[in-house]
Amino acid sequence: MATVDVVRSGSAGHTETDNYLTHSKGLLSWLLTLDHKRIGVMYLIATSAAFLLGGFFALMVRTELWTTGRTIMNHDTYNQMFTLHGAVMVFLFIIPGIPAALGNFILPIMLGAKDVAFPRLNLASFYLWMMGATFFLAALSFTGLDTGWTFYTPYSTTDFGTGKDNAIISAVMGVFILGFSSIFTGLNFLVTIHTMRPPGMTWFRMPLFLWAIYSTAIIQVLATPVLAITLLLLLVEKTLGFGIFDPQLGGDPVLFQHFFWFYSHPAVYIMILPAMGVISELIGVNCRRHIFGYRFIAYSSVAIALLGFLVWGHHMFTSGQSKLASVVFSAITFSVAIPSAIKIFNWLSTMYKGSITFNAPFLYALSFMFLFTIGGLTGLFLATLSVDVHLHDTYFVVAHFHYVMVGGALTSFLGGLFHWWPKISGKMYSETPARISALLVFLGFNLTFLPQFVMGTRGMPRRYYNYLPEFEPFHQWSTIGAYVLGAGALLAFATVIHSIFRGKPAPMNPWGGASLEWTCSSPPPHNNFDKAPSVEDCYDYDKLVWDEKTGGYLMRK
Amino acid sequence: MSEHAVADPHTGHDGHQGHNPFHAHHFDTPKQQFDAGKFGMWLFLVQEVLFFSGLFVFYAIVRVNHPEIFRWGHQALDPFYGFVNTIVLIFSSLTMAWAVRCAQKGQRTGLIVNLVITLVCAGVFLCVKYVEYSAKFEHGFLWAGRFNPHTEDHAGDHSATEGTTSHDSGHADASHAASAEGHGGHAHGPVGPPPKNAGVFFSIYFGMTGLHAIHVIAGIAAITWILVRSVRGDFGPDYFGPVDYVGLYWHLVDLVWIYLFPMLYLIE
Amino acid sequence: MSDHAAAHGHSDELAHEMPVSTLISVFLALVVLTLLTFDASYSISRPEYLGAPIFGTHISIFRPLFAALALPAETMRSLGVPIAMAIATVKAMLVILFFMHLRHDKALNNLIFFFCFAFFFLFIAFVLIDTLQYQGDISSFADSQATK
Amino acid sequence: MLPILLASDSNTDPWLNWFWYQMPPQQLSPFAKGVDATYYFIYYVCVFFFVAIMAAMTYFCIRYRRKHPGEMVDKNAPTHSSFLEAAWSIIPSILVVPMFYWGFTDFMDMRSMPDGAYNIGVTGQKWNWTFSYGNGKGIVGGKLENVDWHDKKSIIRDLPAMHVPVNTDIVLTMNSKDVLHSFYIPVFRTKQDVVPGRYTKLWFRADRTGQYDIFCTEYCGDKHSEMLAQLVVDTQEDFDKFYNRVTNLVILFPDPVKRGEYLFNTRGCSQCHSLDGSPKANGGPSFLGAWGTEVSFEDGTSAKMDENYIRESVVNPQAKIRKGFGKIMSVGLLSKDEEFEGIIAFIRDLNEKAKK
């Protein structure tokens, strides 16, 4: 290989030591930074902390369910635990996780831009996130937030006359603020992708991760304001008695569900679309093969984003929604299955005749394929009207959305984290523990949630503190699985942290990626690119050459 | 809510800096920066429209299912106030659009004058809202949870709820003024007993106009900020993005009111 | 981008400039349309309304129109919402196209703004259809409570 | 495959029962078989695709594993194929059509209430179900308190039981007193949220007797998981016995005072008679302080308020009209001895309470 002419340095003129991490020093240089990479790293730390917090609540829930009857906590505590688990995971981790943390770091570099369009707004989004998280912690300290993450009325608007009221108000405020954080992030990304593409970066040269983030951003801007107004109405209902959702004042509790799911169903795609984008990158790079059906994957992202707005009523088949609306929503829901199927088949075809390496990111991608296929297919049961009536609000639903959200979003978050970690930190993580973590997450996850499908079909309702004794064995399998899953996730984070101190310096392009982020040094320089990079096909791996000396890949001249 | 990006103090210098102090380092040209800001502002407006949509849905549902609530409730609102506020807002929209033009042409005085007029209009709008709100509070025309219309009234003020004396409503001065405008001094006290859940009308009224008023207040803050920068002389033909963006926001506030006015004050 | 740019003599103009005459015309049109909304509303709901008393006479557009059509009272009432919304939409269009410069703006900005209204109507339509369908269950419950 | 599935009965088919625990619970209602058939159709489609995808994935992983980091791939491998992509857009689109269709038809079945069905009222409140028979003549309710959650028998014993006759269409008219609940009977594959401020309905027909679980599936607060009930499907004779038992006032209210209070509130007395001494508009005299007093009538006579007077006033209200009141009460609303005993005891008890 030594005979091939290669480019040794991605961004000429930058020395190894001048990068975004060393560009300026001091805590304030981080807290007031306008650099998308630093903001991305701060998001990464913050959302990972939220994940660990949410994971702790999950383990508490699973521990309590080890036996029917009381195991370690009372009814009230259990109800708070599952509420906080759901709310923290959804609002503080999954929704911002990939777009705001990984997206912030990677998006401008992948695009070939120096920064996002509005760096100050980007920092403001981060602080809005922090503020929202603070309100959540306040809700924790008020004790008694037990509405579930969905805040269904009239339970959430009941006047309890205890700390619970303050906890609910605080949490709703928190979600309201987090909503604006999400809107501003999405807005920023949309503008960045539209206006900051360098010459040559046409729409169909954009990496699929950017298409996914773009689709996600459309949802964030269009749907999140509806959540904001819904929560605002919930607040005035609870504090002033506006009579919107409260039947005693002439309101309609089912209306709340319409409002809530108009946001929250598209929000499911906020969670899964970026994950799909990450997987497209992981599969392309690690199979060293041009992604199969690029345009179909790109279009299907946008299709999912738009169709996602038309299906919210499938959460309400048993809610008292009319027959007519249920039938219409069911029919439209099936249409979302098609673009998801296209993606799976295209990823699969990318592997055909590839050159597949089994590093940790690819193992996470494989488990994504396994888990998301199950998650997607079980969605068919829930889209089917009559079957959903049986399965709605049972553990089947719990298992289904965990397969999508955890099996989809968490595995791709961890996969993406390992994939881009050399770029983010400039350090290589150690491969073996990372692979073990992927294995543990995969096994633990399946052990946790496969039994829940069985329980669900047999009628075990969700959000139950006590349950009928015949379900106990399934719950115990599930609890064991949860601990394995937790251990896997902890090992993944430990591996990453370990590499900061002990990791080898990362080469510019350790995996052989062909998109633009791999053409700048690891970690990237402060300004990403001094001059607009030349843009080529981001899935053409022929131009890369393995370089034994650095342990990475170099660009053919 | 400034969606524009200004120079990054931490930035090292690059080739593009120099000819415009407000040109941010990560944009190649001022045009790119302006377009990015404008696109961002439009997206923000999209977000605003959907933010308001929840209340419009609520309105539509109550309106279609319980028209009697509206037939009764809208009589408590004085169209004269709504009319005055409509004209005030439309006029402020005109001055705001004019301000943008002045900024584009580099006419600093015109820009400042137009912005001041816009601010004054916003202030007048809020004052009228205050007068309206206090009348509603006085008569107990509040949202569903606090809806408690008084038929007995404060000294010297005729009840707005006494339907039979509707030609002599509590807002006598307003009615006269309305006649002066040429729209007949009709009374605005609801006729007849309130229908079931009549308070929902006032939930909608306070919800919609309240959220709108919050946007007006935010607009005042944004315009004040623009005004300060105009006095400082920041804007000219090369750089007027912020004026344009705030203008767009202000027009959206006007736009929402254009719908709210007939929906709440006029339609039976 | 437009002929005003040439007049201004600035080569790479950032945005279109709206002439003052257009701005003032739009403003006047908005005022007239506001008065028209009043006229329509009063013509429908107030039998004693003859028109706006201007120059010693009553001026009205809708009252003679309704009188000529001689519609039944119920039909006229049901016209209130569509007429008011139609006028409001014309006003909104004037504001959007001229004050907000959308007529001269990029196609993309046009697209997203009208796209968002599509979602807005989608939201209203679905929820409205559903609540209309189950309204009977609510009213029958309300009736049963009233008789108790 | 489908005809076999449609005919399959999870109660009797051992193969289905064995299959990987993927069994929904027993099927009882007319639509349960349809729901299960649709379930299995989707299930097998899913299994087919899942196995196919995973097999391909595994094969590719082994066959195309990278042997050296510098390895390059076949440049001529296709990067897209319109045929394939069209195929996997169209085939799934076709497969979901029957899923939607069967789901839709069974759903319409579930949600369309049959005519002439037996009606039971269901009230949900935090955290128990109450069942009302014969327009409120008989009420069944109960709460779980301190049961051993590992002993299903003890749980069942404490649960309120909704009895229904076998082979009869049952319509439940449901309402909630506080927050959302959801009424779920797994054996019938049916579920409906119970919403405050409106009625929601659910119907089913049990085709065999037995005892089955009922759950609340919409989170409703602290003891959501204890909001259970039992469905007891009786033969018609057993159901009649049950009905007589729950509507029998002596059994329901052994204490005559309580019985009287119940009658006062449920038989319309409270519309005209007050209990606080004040007269009701267009009504009759108050019951407070009346017992044992001498009451005077429109015709100038008077009598002592005792058992016989009350009985006569109920059976024939026009016989004696109290001074100052009109001939308002027309029909005797009570007929049985235990009812008279109750209302008399109730009125007498009012006096004693007032004295205290």
Side-chain angles (χ1 to χ4, degrees):
Chain A
M1 293 286 161
T3 55
V4 183
D5 265 350
V6 293
V7 184
R8 285 272 165 197
S9 165
S11 11
H14 278 280
T15 55
E16 287 286 313
T17 47
D18 179 30
N19 60 50
Y20 83 100
L21 292 169
T22 56
H23 185 71
S24 51
K25 288 208 162 55
L27 185 65
L28 275 183
S29 78
W30 278 84
L31 293 181
L32 299 176
T33 183
L34 297 179
D35 181 357
H36 70 96
K37 297 181 286 299
R38 287 192 169 192
I39 294 171
V41 169
M42 291 198 290
Y43 258 122
L44 189 61
I45 296 166
T47 51
S48 302
F51 169 74
L52 293 178
L53 183 68
F56 166 77
F57 292 133
L59 289 182
M60 287 300 102
V61 167
R62 285 311 327 164
T63 310
E64 169 52 42
L65 292 172
W66 179 256
T67 61
T68 180
R70 185 189 168 104
T71 311
I72 54 165
M73 57 181 83
N74 60 20
H75 287 88
D76 192 38
T77 316
Y78 170 82
N79 293 339
Q80 292 175 44
M81 287 296 139
F82 81 68
T83 300
L84 286 164
H85 164 65
V88 167
M89 283 297 196
V90 167
F91 295 118
L92 290 177
F93 172 63
I94 304 182
I95 289 179
I98 296 177
L102 294 178
N104 238 324
F105 193 97
I106 297 301
L107 178 135
I109 314 181
M110 244 187 185
L111 199 64
K114 286 181 188 142
D115 205 329
V116 292
F118 311 120
R120 289 188 171 187
L121 189 68
N122 201 15
L123 185 67
S125 312
F126 175 71
Y127 282 111
L128 281 174
W129 186 94
M130 292 295 274
M131 219 161 106
T134 312
F135 272 93
F136 259 103
L137 294 178
L140 246 174
S141 68
F142 281 122
T143 72
L145 178 70
D146 68 341
T147 57
W149 74 278
T150 48
F151 300 111
Y152 269 18
T153 54
Y155 185 73
S156 57
T157 54
T158 310
D159 188 4
F160 294 97
T162 61
K164 199 177 276 190
D165 293 323
N166 293 332
I168 294 171
I169 291 170
S170 177
V172 168
M173 285 298 296
V175 178
F176 182 82
I177 293 166
L178 289 169
F180 280 96
S181 163
S182 175
I183 291 172
F184 291 142
T185 304
L187 190 153
N188 220 335
F189 288 172
L190 280 179
V191 177
T192 307
I193 291 176
H194 266 281
T195 60
M196 313 266 302
R197 279 174 287 128
M201 180 59 88
T202 59
W203 282 95
F204 290 105
R205 275 197 186 163
M206 286 199 326
L208 288 166
F209 181 65
L210 296 186
W211 274 98
I213 293 283
Y214 181 79
S215 313
T216 309
I218 292 177
I219 306 175
Q220 284 174 307
V221 170
L222 281 174
T224 320
V226 176
L227 176 76
I229 190 68
T230 308
L231 295 175
L232 209 56
L233 290 175
L234 183 67
L235 277 183
V236 292
E237 180 77 72
K238 186 161 177 68
T239 53
L240 302 174
F242 249 46
I244 304 165
F245 305 128
D246 183 354
Q248 285 192 323
L249 295 170
D252 181 356
V254 178
L255 193 59
F256 177 82
Q257 298 176 32
H258 274 300
F259 276 52
F260 182 80
W261 290 112
F262 183 87
Y263 162 75
S264 291
H265 191 76
V268 171
Y269 301 115
I270 296 179
M271 306 174 201
I272 195 64
L273 277 171
M276 290 167 160
V278 170
I279 297 303
S280 300
E281 299 304 316
L282 296 190
I283 289 187
V285 172
N286 292 308
C287 297
R288 192 168 298 165
R289 174 123 137 64
H290 192 288
I291 195 93
F292 189 88
Y294 169 91
R295 282 191 182 229
F296 255 66
I297 299 185
Y299 286 138
S300 68
S301 288
V302 181
I304 288 175
L306 297 182
L307 287 173
F309 277 93
L310 307 171
V311 300
W312 77 85
H314 68 220
H315 296 266
M316 300 169 59
F317 289 160
T318 70
S319 69
Q321 179 178 251
S322 63
K323 282 184 278 194
L324 176 68
S326 297
V327 170
V328 172
F329 280 123
S330 165
I332 305 173
T333 300
F334 280 108
S335 67
V336 183
I338 313 304
S340 311
I342 288 172
K343 279 180 192 281
I344 291 277
F345 286 123
N346 278 341
W347 290 326
L348 197 62
S349 314
T350 306
M351 293 168 71
Y352 172 68
K353 286 198 170 177
S355 163
I356 303 173
T357 178
F358 295 93
N359 56 16
F362 191 71
L363 291 183
Y364 276 107
L366 283 181
S367 50
F368 176 96
M369 292 271 282
F370 184 97
L371 303 176
F372 180 74
T373 305
I374 295 182
L377 287 171
T378 49
L380 293 172
F381 292 88
L382 300 173
T384 307
L385 280 164
S386 64
V387 180
D388 179 74
V389 169
H390 174 52
L391 298 175
H392 182 74
D393 269 341
T394 66
Y395 265 74
F396 191 94
V397 175
V398 176
H400 160 72
F401 71 69
H402 278 92
Y403 264 88
V404 176
M405 288 186 193
V406 184
L410 176 69
T411 52
S412 60
F413 175 78
L414 291 175
L417 182 63
F418 280 119
H419 182 68
W420 282 301
W421 185 249
K423 191 55 61 186
I424 294 171
S425 68
K427 297 290 173 64
M428 293 301 289
Y429 60 85
S430 48
E431 196 61 53
T432 312
R435 286 182 187 168
I436 293 172
S437 80
L439 192 69
L440 284 180
V441 166
F442 177 74
L443 292 178
F445 181 84
N446 281 306
L447 189 55
T448 313
F449 293 104
L450 273 179
Q452 298 192 0
F453 279 126
V454 184
M455 280 193 272
T457 48
R458 291 168 165 221
M460 165 82 210
R462 66 194 282 206
R463 296 176 171 177
Y464 263 28
Y465 168 78
N466 291 313
Y467 49 84
L468 294 180
E470 60 257 39
F471 295 113
E472 202 167 52
F474 300 106
H475 276 294
Q476 293 185 344
W477 282 115
S478 194
T479 302
I480 295 170
Y483 275 94
V484 176
L485 172 59
L490 278 182
L491 181 60
F493 284 111
T495 310
V496 161
I497 292 167
H498 175 262
S499 75
I500 297 175
F501 304 104
R502 296 288 161 81
K504 280 185 280 188
M508 193 171 75
N509 188 357
W511 318 122
S515 43
L516 288 177
E517 81 270 28
W518 303 110
T519 64
C520 57
S521 58
S522 302
H526 176 72
N527 267 340
N528 299 350
F529 304 98
D530 273 347
K531 54 175 192 279
S534 69
V535 183
E536 287 159 38
D537 189 337
C538 59
Y539 295 105
D540 174 19
Y541 301 100
D542 284 339
K543 61 190 176 194
L544 296 162
V545 195
W546 170 246
D547 179 37
E548 198 72 53
K549 206 167 69 189
T550 54
Y553 291 80
L554 295 173
M555 197 76 78
R556 245 184 256 269
K557 252 190 190 140
Chain B
M1 292 308 144
S2 80
E3 251 64 64
H4 86 299
V6 295
D8 177 358
H10 301 286
T11 324
H13 290 275
D14 56 35
H16 300 294
Q17 217 138 10
H19 67 275
N20 179 348
F22 298 105
H23 176 215
H25 83 283
H26 57 287
F27 291 110
D28 292 332
T29 62
K31 173 83 177 153
Q32 189 191 21
Q33 176 170 356
F34 176 80
D35 286 346
K38 191 142 187 173
F39 182 54
M41 197 61 215
W42 277 108
L43 285 173
F44 182 74
L45 298 188
V46 163
Q47 181 277 129
E48 285 288 349
V49 169
L50 283 151
F51 188 61
F52 273 101
S53 72
L55 283 164
F56 280 87
V57 172
F58 180 38
Y59 175 95
I61 284 165
V62 180
R63 162 111 230 154
V64 168
N65 292 314
H66 299 286
E68 75 281 359
I69 290 178
F70 281 84
R71 209 160 289 157
W72 184 86
H74 97 285
Q75 303 173 79
L77 304 183
D78 190 334
F80 171 68
Y81 286 139
F83 176 73
V84 169
N85 265 350
T86 308
I87 298 300
V88 165
L89 266 196
I90 292 176
F91 187 69
S92 75
S93 249
L94 169 70
T95 53
M96 192 69 228
W98 203 328
V100 174
R101 182 187 152 82
C102 289
Q104 278 172 298
K105 297 187 89 72
Q107 299 159 339
R108 185 156 156 245
T109 320
L111 171 63
I112 292 170
V113 168
N114 272 310
L115 287 178
V116 169
I117 297 174
T118 312
L119 272 181
V120 169
C121 287
V124 170
F125 180 89
L126 286 180
C127 290
V128 174
K129 270 263 91 68
Y130 173 78
V131 172
E132 276 191 286
Y133 276 12
S134 46
K136 303 288 168 296
F137 273 76
E138 209 168 281
H139 296 300
F141 288 138
L142 297 182
W143 50 91
R146 306 276 161 83
F147 180 64
N148 178 26
H150 325 300
T151 39
E152 296 307 315
D153 219 15
H154 306 276
D157 192 6
H158 295 284
S159 165
T161 54
E162 279 168 9
T164 46
T165 59
S166 58
H167 272 277
D168 188 11
S169 96
H171 313 299
D173 51 344
S175 303
H176 289 313
S179 326
E181 289 288 337
H183 276 279
H186 287 284
H188 315 291
V191 182
K196 196 162 170 261
N197 300 324
V200 170
F201 176 81
F202 296 96
S203 300
I204 292 175
Y205 169 74
F206 280 105
M208 291 185 120
T209 59
L211 192 66
H212 179 261
I214 290 171
H215 279 80
V216 172
I217 292 167
I220 289 177
I223 295 169
T224 309
W225 171 66
I226 291 297
L227 184 60
V228 170
R229 293 191 63 184
S230 310
V231 172
R232 214 162 64 191
D234 284 359
F235 303 119
D238 292 334
Y239 177 70
F240 57 88
V243 186
D244 203 0
Y245 312 151
V246 170
L248 285 177
Y249 171 80
W250 189 251
H251 295 311
L252 187 87
V253 172
D254 182 27
L255 208 65
V256 172
W257 183 259
I258 283 178
Y259 280 96
L260 289 192
F261 167 57
M263 278 168 63
L264 293 170
Y265 289 81
L266 286 181
I267 300 176
E268 287 242 318
Chain C
M1 202 184 276
S2 72
D3 38 11
H4 300 288
H8 184 72
H10 191 69
S11 53
D12 66 335
E13 190 190 44
L14 295 176
H16 171 258
E17 283 168 18
M18 197 60 72
V20 176
S21 57
T22 314
L23 294 178
I24 293 181
S25 317
V26 169
F27 169 70
L28 292 176
L30 289 172
V31 173
V32 169
L33 285 168
T34 309
L35 294 173
L36 210 59
T37 318
F38 262 101
D39 186 49
S41 156
Y42 281 19
S43 303
I44 289 170
S45 60
R46 303 187 179 187
E48 73 280 6
Y49 171 76
L50 296 173
I54 299 170
F55 306 128
T57 173
H58 291 286
I59 296 174
S60 171
I61 306 278
F62 280 97
R63 204 186 127 73
L65 184 71
F66 287 139
L69 291 172
L71 296 168
E74 264 315 299
T75 321
M76 234 165 73
R77 267 177 180 249
S78 64
L79 280 176
V81 179
I83 290 177
M85 286 294 109
I87 296 175
T89 304
V90 172
K91 286 165 75 180
M93 290 302 291
L94 285 175
V95 171
I96 293 169
L97 293 179
F98 295 100
F99 282 176
M100 299 171 93
H101 297 243
L102 201 56
R103 191 165 164 247
H104 302 279
D105 211 330
K106 287 179 171 341
L108 177 70
N109 292 347
N110 278 274
L111 184 77
I112 55 163
F113 201 56
F114 289 101
F115 197 55
C116 94
F117 281 101
F119 277 85
F120 181 107
F121 286 117
L122 190 89
F123 186 25
I124 292 195
F126 269 113
V127 178
L128 201 56
I129 288 169
D130 185 42
T131 52
L132 276 173
Q133 293 270 318
Y134 65 67
Q135 215 45 229
D137 295 334
I138 294 178
S139 51
S140 73
F141 179 78
D143 293 346
S144 79
Q145 293 304 100
T147 54
K148 256 183 196 167
Chain D
M1 184 162 65
L2 195 65
I4 310 169
L5 287 175
L6 286 174
S8 67
D9 181 335
S10 67
N11 298 309
T12 52
D13 187 331
W15 184 78
L16 279 183
N17 242 329
W18 166 84
F19 187 72
W20 203 43
Y21 275 93
Q22 265 296 341
M23 271 318 315
Q26 287 174 292
Q27 35 185 218
L28 277 181
S29 61
F31 32 75
K33 282 203 178 74
V35 172
D36 286 4
T38 316
Y39 178 95
Y40 281 115
F41 174 73
I42 304 170
Y43 181 75
Y44 288 118
V45 168
C46 289
V47 167
F48 172 78
F49 277 100
F50 181 72
V51 170
I53 291 168
M54 287 308 120
M57 195 175 94
T58 314
Y59 174 74
F60 294 159
C61 280
I62 297 166
R63 171 76 177 73
Y64 302 114
R65 69 188 182 281
R66 191 179 298 174
K67 281 134 197 150
H68 177 267
E71 187 180 275
M72 283 293 144
V73 302
D74 177 6
K75 275 186 193 169
N76 298 321
T79 59
H80 76 97
S81 150
S82 305
F83 171 75
L84 274 179
E85 281 164 315
W88 57 57
S89 309
I90 293 167
I91 294 174
S93 307
I94 294 170
L95 278 171
V96 298
V97 172
M99 295 180 194
F100 167 74
Y101 179 74
W102 288 326
F104 159 68
T105 48
D106 281 331
F107 179 78
M108 293 310 275
D109 238 15
M110 285 177 188
R111 290 289 184 260
S112 309
M113 299 304 132
D115 293 330
Y118 187 82
N119 200 314
I120 299 174
V122 176
T123 307
Q125 70 186 100
K126 291 180 205 168
W127 290 276
N128 59 308
W129 296 106
T130 314
F131 305 102
S132 141
Y133 290 84
N135 274 329
K137 284 205 190 78
I139 306 280
V140 179
K143 259 185 205 173
L144 278 186
E145 313 259 356
N146 301 326
V147 295
D148 174 6
W149 280 93
H150 286 93
D151 177 9
K152 187 155 186 185
K153 275 186 190 138
S154 88
I155 300 171
I156 290 174
R157 198 179 50 232
D158 280 16
L159 284 176
M162 178 174 83
H163 287 253
V164 298
V166 73
N167 288 328
T168 310
D169 290 346
I170 311 286
V171 169
L172 306 179
T173 303
M174 308 189 290
N175 174 249
S176 164
K177 282 192 174 166
D178 36 44
V179 299
L180 295 179
H181 303 283
S182 187
F183 197 80
Y184 177 34
I185 321 175
V187 281
F188 295 138
R189 313 283 188 270
T190 192
K191 177 186 292 142
Q192 173 64 52
D193 280 15
V194 181
V195 184
R198 67 184 271 198
Y199 287 123
T200 50
K201 290 189 171 180
L202 188 69
W203 84 275
F204 57 84
R205 185 174 64 239
D207 50 21
R208 89 191 57 129
T209 58
Q211 200 160 347
Y212 311 97
D213 300 319
I214 294 171
F215 298 108
C216 171
T217 51
E218 188 65 66
Y219 177 70
C220 54
D222 210 17
K223 296 197 173 134
H224 166 53
S225 66
E226 272 143 69
M227 199 165 158
L228 311 177
Q230 282 290 300
L231 171 75
V232 181
V233 182
D234 285 332
T235 59
Q236 189 64 46
E237 300 86 73
D238 286 347
F239 179 74
D240 290 341
K241 276 185 216 152
F242 161 82
Y243 183 81
N244 286 332
R245 183 160 51 79
V246 293
T247 51
N248 186 323
L249 288 173
V250 180
I251 296 175
L252 284 176
F253 302 102
D255 175 6
V257 178
K258 284 270 183 310
R259 196 186 311 154
E261 188 182 5
Y262 171 78
L263 290 167
F264 176 81
N265 288 323
T266 55
R267 299 287 169 91
C269 314
S270 59
Q271 278 174 11
C272 299
H273 300 280
S274 80
L275 297 178
D276 55 5
S278 65
K280 282 213 170 176
N282 301 322
S286 176
F287 285 171
L288 184 76
W291 179 258
T293 57
E294 197 73 15
V295 289
S296 45
F297 303 113
E298 283 283 313
D299 59 5
T301 59
S302 68
K304 195 177 172 207
M305 180 107 149
D306 57 8
E307 287 92 342
N308 288 331
Y309 169 73
I310 292 174
R311 199 171 176 123
E312 183 191 43
S313 299
V314 175
V315 175
N316 183 7
Q318 306 298 330
K320 295 190 172 102
I321 302 298
R322 285 274 289 276
K323 208 181 178 91
F325 294 93
K327 295 182 176 183
I328 298 154
M329 191 165 156
S330 51
V331 201
L333 295 163
L334 308 177
S335 58
K336 294 177 186 160
D337 279 346
E338 66 264 24
E339 292 172 350
F340 288 117
E341 185 195 10
I343 202 76
I344 289 164
F346 177 62
I347 292 172
R348 184 167 56 204
D349 184 62
L350 275 179
N351 263 26
E352 277 157 29
K353 277 196 188 129
K355 272 179 210 153
K356 284 174 199 163

